[in-house]
Amino acid sequence: ALPAIALSTDTSILTAVGNDYGFDDVFRRQVEALASPGDVVIGISTSGNSPNVFRAVEAAREIGCKTMALLGKDGGVIAPIVDIPVIVPVSHTPHIQECHLTIIHLICDLLERKLFGEAEKA
């Protein structure tokens, strides 16, 4: 098993940081608290311009994390600041999100195969 955390699932931290720091910092504050050098931080933004994702990736880079982003359209302002930008070059948000979902599943499968060998056949 590999440790992973979805920063969008804890409503307590989202509302606390949103109220005290602003919504643009809801992911940045969590990255500052949880990430360590060498970790991988993946941002997801269909526009490539989400301020909260941008600030989280910035914080991750400052900490010494590897960064990746799943983006749409032209990659926006996030694409140039991540180590690996994965851009779905279309404008229709639902199509971008469908592609992001598939990409996430492919990344997980490839990582498991690379780190733990071929998956068992069901």
Side-chain angles (χ1 to χ4, degrees), residues 23-112:
F23 190 70
D24 288 353
D25 288 326
V26 294
F27 301 133
R28 178 185 66 86
R29 293 291 292 166
Q30 293 179 77
V31 168
E32 290 172 344
L34 299 170
S36 298
D39 286 350
V40 177
V41 173
I42 302 174
I44 303 172
S45 171
T46 56
S47 68
N49 294 312
S50 304
N52 53 8
V53 175
F54 182 90
R55 292 174 64 92
V57 171
E58 270 188 324
R61 292 178 59 85
E62 290 168 7
I63 291 167
C65 300
K66 299 295 182 192
T67 57
M68 177 180 180
L70 303 180
L71 308 165
K73 302 177 181 166
D74 64 358
V77 297
I78 296 171
I81 69 164
V82 295
D83 297 313
I84 303 171
V86 178
I87 301 168
V88 177
V90 298
S91 296
H92 194 58
T93 297
H95 291 171
I96 296 167
Q97 292 171 341
E98 291 163 352
C99 290
H100 284 174
L101 183 60
T102 301
I103 293 166
I104 290 167
H105 283 282
L106 289 170
I107 290 169
C108 290
D109 185 61
L110 291 170
L111 280 172
E112 285 185 5

